[in-house]
Amino acid sequence: MSLFSQPAPKSSIFGNLGNQPSATSSSNPLQSQNTGTTNPFANLQTQPPSQPGSTSLFSNLSTSQTSQPAQSSLFRNQGTSQPQQQTSTLFGAPKPATSQPAGSSLFAPQATTGPFGASQQPQDQPGQNGQQPPAPARLSQPAYFDSLLEKGKKRARDADGGSSLAELPGLQLGLSDIARRVREIGGIGTETPAGRAADSKAHYLLAASGVNLGTTRLDLDALKVEPGAATAATSVPLEWDPDTNRYMDQLQQQSTLKMIAEGIERAHRNFDAYLDENIDINWEAQRKKIYEHFGLVSNGSERSDAAAQPLSPGLKGSFGRSTRRGRTTNSDQSKQSTLGRSIFGQSSLQKSVIGTPNTAYKTVSLFADVEDRSGQGAVSDDRFSREKQTKFAEKVQALNRERLQEKPYRILHEFKAVQLQPGGESPSQLIDAYKALIDIVREPSDLENASQADVPKQRQFLTDYLDETPNSVKQVEIRKRILDGSRRSLEQQFFEGVESLINRNAREANLGGVPTAINKIRAYIRVRDVRKDLKPDELELQKIDDVEPMWAVVYFLLRCGLVQDAADYVKEHATTFRAIERNFMTYIISYAKDKDRRLPRDLQDRINTEYQQKARMAPENSLDPFKMACYKIIGRCELTKRTIEGINQSSNDWLWLQFCLAREVNRVEEVAGDVFGLDEIRESVSEIGQRHYQKGQEGLGGYGTYFHLLILAGMFEQAISFLFPYTYVAAVHFAIALDYYGLLRVSDQPGAETDLLTYNTKELPQISFGRMLGYYTRDFRTSNLDAAVDYLVLICLNIDFPGAAGKAQASLCHEALRELVLESREFAHLLGDIHKDGTRLKGTIEQRVKLIGLSDQDMFLKTVTIQAASVADDNGRTTDAVLLYHLAEDYDNVIAIVNRALSDSLAVSLSEPEPQLSPLKPRQQQQQGQTGQQQQLQEPSPNSSFSLTAVSDPSTLARNMISLYDSNPLYLARIRPQNRQTCGILLRLSTIKTHILSQNWAAALDTIAATNLLPLSARGSIPAIRAHAATTNQLPQEVKRNLGNLVLWCIMAVGGQREVLQAQKGGFEDQGREGVREELKGVGRDLMCFAGLVRYRLERGVWEAVVRAGGDVGGY
């Protein structure tokens, strides 16, 4: 099969160009062996064996029947040129064909298939090594094509005349159409037959793909290669010029241009390296965000897993550029400092842990799956939600205070109390969910009166809950706890409903006497009977003395979880029960005594038999439905049918029956028919969710009902993910409470996920807990930093996760705190402060250092403060970086940053305003009894912050820091002498600049002389000037970059002082003044000589300014 062979016959403009006729070809030129194919060029080039050559329009595209040498061309013998003959090109005149030796080329095996689907056989031809004169070519007759076209049209009109005629192919194009198509393909223009064949094949392929070769060639010819920086920087040899000055000017100009070109090229390399190391943008995700922002697509409609993941290296982004990736390998990346890029998105262009702060209490979730599942953003724009957020924040702060003191905290009760506050549209099922969790965890309502053994500890259930072995002891225990707690919650909820109904209908209830549980159930039954919703009308209940429905009393006692009361009631009426069901008393007494509510195997078999007999043999409507319900509950009968007929039941009643029938046992030892546990309940709950609570469906009872179902079934991760789109405030605090007790599986890759709910390698659900808390703080962290810190600290609850997951959670917490520090810039408040006397004040984060997995202050400084300082320094926040490094006790780095800032300030010309630093936010000390709003309105005290860094002038900042460190030898011992000396020189330069600006020329000259940077005392000595010029290479970079400005300032001071002396002429001191003027003139000349020696080390434009100033002073 050839490259272009078609699987089925079809019509094509180039179809069957290389078809071979059969041995018995028809004499009719319109008839082809390839029937069923309509082709305008079918078999047009079939030549008789006697013809030596042909020059038709597509001559020799089909191989001739004459034998020829076994040679090969690019088109596999298609259009094979015979030796000693002449062939015509596709568009040109006949051309002599060069003979080729016999052999096989790359595209021509001995027996092959033509490129257009027709089989071609190599044929022999004598005289393959000889040369013969070319034979004349025979021209094609245009009338022949016209006659063929007319015959084809006539055959189409007479197609009904015969079936064989209809099968013949027809011509669709005339000679002019063929010529137009040929012109569209374009010319070949190759020299050799092999090249001509290759060019023809390329033209056919491109034309079939829709490529306009003429237009494409014009576009390619129009491309102009732009010379790069290296081309522009290519040095041109200078022609010798007898004028030395002109030659030196040309040499300097060429050297300057070369230096500029090298600098630009170096800047390009540095910029590319910076992009590769620091920027990692998913352009596809950015495109989708832009589309969503402008409403081009619906929010979340185009989200996909591919958009959430970074593009692979080399893939094209939607903006036309390849996605840039770092050149470092994974091992190199792991060795990089976390200051530049961390796995949690520390870079400003990577994903943030805490997100951007909100300003209007309205937020759209940043999780990809939340929008897809809910179809709407989570909104918190009412006063009640803000009040609840404030109350929840107070509870979280109280939780962290208790954790610092290692005391237990009633987190579920406290959160439930906040949720109970009136206001908002929260469903009542959220309160029921808190009650269910309280029963599952068994959290006491009063910690003071509860024993230590009964109080659940922080992270108590983590090991059992995270055990991934289904039948392990730990997993069985945690499932038992969930089953028992959920059942107790439903039973307690029903009993509260019983009491509420009795209180609302006191007359019908007729409680009277002692309000015991049995009497309350009797009153409840009376109310239900009066309301006609106790049973169907056609059923009769078995009663004691025709008054009290005894089976209903037992059933409702079981429904309320009062199993022992139900057993006592049966004992109290033992005669009646034995008369009706003699074995029932044995069953219920054994059921009440067993802590797991299971019957022995013999009683289990007996009660199942009785249940089956009654259900099968009893007449219709003769059985008391409450009696059958009691048998089903106590004996766990007929588990395949987990419903009760004949009793009006709510959804909670059905759910309670599931939990009442479920047992967690060793499934290997259990009878197959008795296996029904928590996993089966979870499957039922998931099926309910898929049917009634998918996207856009509220379901029966609203979203709160399904959330309550998920909590009862122990599907905590799915519950949080389901609730988050509707009320993210409640979802976050449910997650905090669950995580506090270790009942939440958090993401094992906290820095990579984009979804709220993900699944691990074993398909177990997990929640992005850290990012959820970080995004939640967007609502209030601008106004309440302490609360934001307390929420972010809770990420380290998961630090006890086994393996690398715990370390990843701790790193995520530290990253979130670092982002909070850099975003708020409340360094003194968050990280601490140091007064002038050296007293250290702990910040909000440092006060909670025990809660973030750091054992001492050094680890805190290393993981939070130093990294935040490095990022602040990279972002140009000088005052922030100075304070942070000072708090981290990295005093040498403080001086280095101050030197750099001061050097940048000195490099600004005198005519431009000096750059100012962004001053540090002062530390605000909150007074007791003041609210956060009152705290914001209060003006900060001048002594409330570390005033040495709360400045905007670089020179003032440098003087403050140097004066502080000079006063303490411990500080000086940790500063390198070179940095200390550099700072002193820069401060003197700052003083000189101040004198120049105030035109205090004499003081400026004295200060310059004190620095000993310029040869002011050389007195024309060239060796001394050269010695000063040689020492400039040893100067620090911060001083060296300002050397040209210093020379300029000194020349200006010399000229200014000479003008002052000139203006003071007169009196007996004229001779002394004139001597000073001449001395200053000599200083100016020395400075010009010095500047000429270091001219190539000066900043751009400084040399020209020095030359102009020197000319004015008279330096040359």
Side-chain angles (χ1 to χ4, degrees):
M1 183 66 96
S2 70
L3 181 63
F4 296 90
S5 61
Q6 301 297 331
K10 59 177 70 173
S11 176
S12 171
I13 189 173
F14 294 104
N16 292 337
L17 287 179
N19 282 348
Q20 291 289 343
S22 63
T24 60
S25 61
S26 174
S27 61
N28 189 353
L30 295 176
Q31 186 173 358
S32 171
Q33 296 297 327
N34 188 9
T35 62
T37 303
T38 302
N39 190 345
F41 302 119
N43 295 329
L44 290 182
Q45 300 302 322
T46 304
Q47 300 292 338
S50 60
Q51 278 188 321
S54 177
T55 58
S56 67
L57 184 64
F58 288 86
S59 61
N60 289 332
L61 286 179
S62 296
T63 55
S64 177
Q65 296 295 327
T66 58
S67 87
Q68 50 188 341
Q71 66 180 14
S72 152
S73 71
L74 185 63
F75 267 61
R76 297 180 179 175
N77 289 333
Q78 182 175 351
T80 304
S81 58
Q82 303 174 1
Q84 307 167 0
Q85 75 178 15
Q86 196 177 37
T87 63
S88 67
T89 63
L90 187 61
F91 300 103
K95 196 170 188 177
T98 58
S99 77
Q100 298 177 355
S104 176
S105 70
L106 180 63
F107 296 95
Q110 293 298 322
T112 183
T113 303
F116 292 94
S119 176
Q120 295 182 352
Q121 298 294 333
Q123 302 172 355
D124 297 333
Q125 180 176 353
Q128 56 184 346
N129 294 327
Q131 293 289 340
Q132 296 181 6
R138 184 177 64 86
L139 298 176
S140 300
Q141 299 297 330
Y144 177 68
F145 288 95
D146 295 337
S147 63
L148 289 179
L149 181 60
E150 293 298 330
K151 290 179 181 180
K153 293 180 180 179
K154 182 177 181 182
R155 183 178 67 253
R157 289 193 300 266
D158 300 337
D160 298 334
S163 59
S164 59
L165 186 62
E167 295 176 356
L168 294 178
L171 294 178
Q172 303 297 328
L173 300 176
L175 185 59
S176 59
D177 297 328
I178 296 173
R180 186 179 66 255
R181 294 292 179 91
V182 170
R183 285 194 299 272
E184 290 178 356
I185 295 175
I188 300 178
T190 53
E191 294 296 334
T192 63
R196 186 163 58 249
D199 202 10
S200 300
K201 185 175 181 179
H203 278 71
Y204 297 149
L205 177 61
L206 293 176
S209 302
V211 178
N212 192 332
L213 298 182
T215 306
T216 305
R217 183 172 181 177
L218 292 177
D219 294 340
L220 293 176
D221 293 339
L223 291 177
K224 301 297 183 182
V225 180
E226 297 181 1
T231 305
T234 304
S235 60
V236 180
L238 293 177
E239 297 182 359
W240 180 82
D241 194 334
D243 190 344
T244 306
N245 293 333
R246 185 182 302 174
Y247 178 80
M248 293 301 296
D249 291 340
Q250 293 179 0
L251 180 62
Q252 178 186 1
Q253 184 178 5
Q254 186 176 13
S255 301
T256 304
L257 293 176
K258 185 177 180 180
M259 292 172 59
I260 292 174
E262 292 177 354
I264 294 175
E265 186 178 358
R266 183 169 58 254
H268 288 170
R269 291 196 303 267
N270 294 339
F271 181 72
D272 291 339
Y274 176 81
L275 290 180
D276 292 339
E277 294 176 1
N278 295 277
I279 297 182
D280 182 12
I281 303 178
N282 188 343
W283 291 109
E284 190 69 18
Q286 296 295 327
R287 179 184 68 87
K288 293 182 183 300
K289 289 181 179 179
I290 294 173
Y291 284 178
E292 292 175 1
H293 174 75
F294 289 102
L296 299 179
V297 295
S298 59
N299 193 8
S301 63
E302 288 192 356
R303 294 181 186 269
S304 63
D305 294 337
Q309 298 296 332
L311 295 176
S312 302
L315 291 180
K316 293 285 288 183
S318 297
F319 286 85
R321 291 188 59 188
S322 313
T323 306
R324 305 191 70 92
R325 307 290 290 182
R327 298 189 181 97
T328 57
T329 60
N330 294 334
S331 59
D332 296 334
Q333 290 178 355
S334 61
K335 297 177 182 179
Q336 290 178 350
S337 172
T338 57
L339 307 181
R341 180 211 292 258
S342 76
I343 62 174
F344 307 109
Q346 176 177 313
S347 175
S348 59
L349 290 178
Q350 295 177 351
K351 179 181 294 186
S352 172
V353 180
I354 61 177
T356 56
N358 290 326
T359 57
Y361 279 96
K362 190 171 184 178
T363 179
V364 176
S365 173
L366 300 180
F367 293 107
D369 60 336
V370 170
E371 294 295 333
D372 290 340
R373 295 181 66 249
S374 68
Q376 59 184 358
V379 179
S380 172
D381 55 355
D382 58 288
R383 178 174 59 88
F384 300 108
S385 296
R386 294 197 295 270
E387 290 179 355
K388 279 191 177 181
Q389 281 186 323
T390 304
K391 296 295 182 181
F392 274 124
E394 294 176 358
K395 300 300 181 182
V396 170
Q397 289 177 315
L399 167 65
N400 284 332
R401 286 195 296 268
E402 297 299 322
R403 291 176 61 208
L404 284 172
Q405 300 176 11
E406 298 182 355
K407 294 181 180 180
Y409 186 72
R410 303 182 319 139
I411 184 171
L412 290 171
H413 282 86
E414 297 295 339
F415 284 178
K416 186 187 74 171
V418 176
Q419 193 66 43
L420 276 171
Q421 291 183 357
E425 299 179 356
S426 299
S428 60
Q429 289 87 352
L430 298 184
I431 307 300
D432 297 335
Y434 273 116
K435 293 179 180 178
L437 289 177
I438 290 173
D439 288 323
I440 292 173
V441 176
R442 300 169 192 172
E443 183 181 271
S445 58
D446 188 2
L447 293 178
E448 296 180 357
N449 298 327
S451 62
Q452 293 295 328
D454 296 336
V455 177
K457 306 298 188 297
Q458 174 182 327
R459 312 289 287 173
Q460 176 174 335
F461 311 107
L462 176 67
T463 306
D464 296 349
Y465 189 77
L466 294 184
D467 193 344
E468 297 179 352
T469 306
N471 295 323
S472 64
V473 177
K474 295 179 180 179
Q475 265 295 307
V476 172
E477 287 299 323
I478 197 65
R479 290 201 295 265
K480 281 184 178 180
R481 177 179 286 272
I482 293 175
L483 281 176
D484 295 342
S486 299
R487 188 186 64 249
R488 281 197 305 270
S489 174
L490 292 171
E491 292 168 350
Q492 182 64 29
Q493 182 181 356
F494 181 80
F495 189 70
E496 292 174 357
V498 168
E499 293 179 334
S500 176
L501 183 64
I502 294 174
N503 295 332
R504 293 197 309 269
N505 302 273
R507 179 182 299 179
E508 292 83 356
N510 192 18
L511 180 58
V514 180
T516 61
I518 297 177
N519 290 334
K520 290 182 179 180
I521 295 300
R522 288 169 175 161
Y524 174 75
I525 293 174
R526 283 193 289 270
V527 174
R528 292 281 300 272
D529 191 37
V530 170
R531 297 171 57 179
K532 302 298 183 181
D533 61 351
L534 181 62
K535 64 176 183 62
D537 295 337
E538 65 272 9
L539 291 179
E540 291 294 333
L541 303 182
Q542 295 180 350
K543 300 180 181 180
I544 299 176
D545 298 332
D546 294 332
V547 175
E548 184 176 286
M550 57 183 188
W551 295 109
V553 173
V554 175
Y555 169 77
F556 284 116
L557 286 172
L558 293 176
R559 178 64 181 86
C560 294
L562 305 174
V563 180
Q564 189 59 47
D565 292 339
D568 294 341
Y569 178 79
V570 173
K571 291 179 183 178
E572 182 181 353
H573 303 85
T575 304
T576 305
F577 277 98
R578 281 199 183 98
I580 301 174
E581 297 291 342
R582 59 174 184 164
N583 295 326
F584 182 76
M585 182 182 296
T586 305
Y587 299 150
I588 194 170
I589 292 176
S590 177
Y591 182 81
K593 288 182 179 179
D594 191 86
K595 63 177 182 178
D596 294 332
R597 294 189 178 184
R598 300 193 65 193
L599 296 178
R601 173 51 55 186
D602 55 342
L603 295 181
Q604 180 74 41
D605 296 339
R606 207 190 313 174
I607 193 174
N608 281 330
T609 303
E610 293 183 12
Y611 180 85
Q612 295 294 337
Q613 291 176 354
K614 295 179 186 299
R616 189 166 50 246
M617 299 179 181
E620 186 178 358
N621 297 332
S622 64
L623 288 177
D624 190 332
F626 291 102
K627 180 174 71 171
M628 299 301 292
C630 293
Y631 268 87
K632 176 178 279 291
I633 292 170
I634 294 175
R636 301 178 69 235
C637 304
E638 199 176 1
L639 291 178
T640 57
K641 186 178 180 181
R642 297 185 296 275
T643 57
I644 300 176
E645 297 179 356
I647 300 177
N648 294 329
Q649 287 185 305
S650 63
S651 59
N652 283 345
D653 294 330
W654 176 86
L655 191 60
W656 169 80
L657 180 62
Q658 312 307 305
F659 283 97
C660 193
L661 296 177
R663 298 290 186 275
E664 283 298 332
V665 294
N666 190 343
R667 304 199 172 202
V668 178
E669 302 175 357
E670 189 71 11
V671 179
D674 293 342
V675 174
F676 178 72
L678 185 61
D679 291 340
E680 286 72 19
I681 294 178
R682 288 173 174 173
E683 292 178 1
S684 301
V685 172
S686 299
E687 184 178 355
I688 292 173
Q690 293 174 1
R691 287 184 178 181
H692 305 288
Y693 294 95
Q694 288 295 322
K695 178 181 178 181
Q697 299 179 2
E698 286 293 334
L700 183 62
Y703 67 89
T705 301
Y706 187 58
F707 173 74
H708 186 211
L709 277 175
L710 292 171
I711 291 293
L712 290 173
M715 304 169 69
F716 303 130
E717 294 82 9
Q718 294 92 330
I720 300 302
S721 177
F722 176 78
L723 182 63
F724 191 87
Y726 298 100
T727 167
Y728 68 93
V729 176
V732 166
H733 292 90
F734 269 107
I736 292 174
L738 290 168
D739 198 52
Y740 175 77
Y741 287 115
L743 291 175
L744 193 69
R745 186 178 288 104
V746 302
S747 176
D748 52 1
Q749 295 181 351
E753 76 283 349
T754 58
D755 295 340
L756 178 62
L757 179 67
T758 56
Y759 293 87
N760 61 9
T761 55
K762 295 189 176 181
E763 293 300 321
L764 296 176
Q766 53 190 12
I767 284 290
S768 180
F769 182 73
R771 291 197 181 278
M772 181 178 62
L773 291 184
Y775 295 159
Y776 175 71
T777 60
R778 299 164 60 199
D779 292 345
F780 55 85
R781 64 171 178 258
T782 302
S783 59
N784 194 350
L785 273 177
D786 291 346
V789 170
D790 281 303
Y791 276 98
L792 297 179
V793 162
L794 293 177
I795 300 176
C796 272
L797 279 172
N798 305 298
I799 199 173
D800 53 356
F801 265 55
K807 296 180 180 179
Q809 293 294 327
S811 300
L812 183 67
C813 176
H814 302 159
E815 181 71 23
L817 291 173
R818 184 162 51 245
E819 288 186 11
L820 179 64
V821 169
L822 294 175
E823 178 189 285
S824 64
R825 298 185 63 224
E826 296 282 355
F827 304 112
H829 180 74
L830 294 177
L831 299 179
D833 205 348
I834 300 178
H835 289 298
K836 294 181 179 180
D837 56 358
T839 305
R840 182 182 181 88
L841 298 177
K842 291 186 177 181
T844 303
I845 298 178
E846 193 172 359
Q847 292 172 1
R848 295 159 177 78
V849 68
K850 290 175 59 177
L851 304 180
I852 58 177
L854 302 178
S855 58
D856 53 14
Q857 178 180 339
D858 293 337
M859 291 185 63
F860 169 75
L861 296 175
K862 181 178 180 181
T863 57
V864 178
T865 310
I866 293 181
Q867 296 181 10
S870 177
V871 175
D873 188 19
D874 293 340
N875 294 336
R877 296 172 166 178
T878 302
T879 54
D880 298 347
V882 166
L883 176 61
L884 290 173
Y885 276 121
H886 184 88
L887 294 176
E889 300 180 358
D890 192 354
Y891 308 123
D892 185 67
N893 219 340
V894 171
I895 298 301
I897 295 175
V898 168
N899 290 344
R900 188 167 62 249
L902 188 55
S903 177
D904 294 339
S905 175
L906 293 174
V908 178
S909 64
L910 298 176
S911 59
E912 299 178 2
E914 293 187 2
Q916 298 295 315
L917 304 176
S918 180
L920 183 73
K921 290 185 178 181
R923 178 186 179 91
Q924 299 182 10
Q925 299 177 354
Q926 185 171 355
Q927 303 294 331
Q928 295 182 357
Q930 289 183 340
T931 64
Q933 186 175 4
Q934 293 172 346
Q935 175 68 21
Q936 290 181 356
L937 296 178
Q938 182 184 5
E939 291 295 332
S941 173
N943 297 326
S944 63
S945 181
F946 187 33
S947 60
L948 298 185
T949 59
V951 294
S952 58
D953 183 31
S955 59
T956 305
L957 177 63
R959 289 189 178 91
N960 290 342
M961 303 310 298
I962 284 296
S963 61
L964 174 65
Y965 295 156
D966 288 343
S967 62
N968 193 333
L970 296 178
Y971 294 161
L972 284 177
R974 303 177 66 174
I975 301 174
R976 290 183 298 172
Q978 180 182 359
N979 283 342
R980 175 64 183 86
Q981 295 173 3
T982 302
C983 186
I985 295 174
L986 292 175
L987 285 176
R988 288 185 177 179
L989 295 182
S990 177
T991 303
I992 295 169
K993 186 175 182 180
T994 304
H995 292 325
I996 295 296
L997 290 174
S998 61
Q999 297 185 359
N1000 191 355
W1001 312 118
L1005 290 173
D1006 293 339
T1007 310
I1008 293 173
T1011 61
N1012 198 26
L1013 296 176
L1014 301 180
L1016 299 185
S1017 58
R1019 299 184 181 277
S1021 174
I1022 299 300
I1025 296 175
R1026 290 184 179 276
H1028 269 86
T1031 58
T1032 57
N1033 290 328
Q1034 302 175 1
L1035 294 176
Q1037 182 63 33
E1038 291 81 1
V1039 178
K1040 189 187 301 183
R1041 64 174 300 194
N1042 290 287
L1043 188 61
N1045 287 334
L1046 180 60
V1047 174
L1048 179 61
W1049 299 339
C1050 189
I1051 294 177
M1052 293 174 61
V1054 168
Q1057 186 63 24
R1058 293 184 75 235
E1059 291 178 359
V1060 170
L1061 295 177
Q1062 179 69 24
Q1064 294 178 355
K1065 276 190 175 184
F1068 60 92
E1069 296 180 353
D1070 286 348
Q1071 186 175 0
R1073 293 192 187 97
E1074 190 64 27
V1076 173
R1077 290 184 73 251
E1078 290 298 325
E1079 183 178 354
L1080 291 175
K1081 185 176 181 180
V1083 170
R1085 292 173 179 171
D1086 294 342
L1087 290 175
M1088 292 300 298
C1089 182
F1090 174 80
L1093 294 175
V1094 298
R1095 58 184 301 184
Y1096 294 114
R1097 305 171 197 170
L1098 302 179
E1099 295 290 329
R1100 180 180 180 182
V1102 174
W1103 168 249
E1104 291 78 3
V1106 169
V1107 171
R1108 288 193 298 268
D1112 297 338
V1113 173
Y1116 58 87

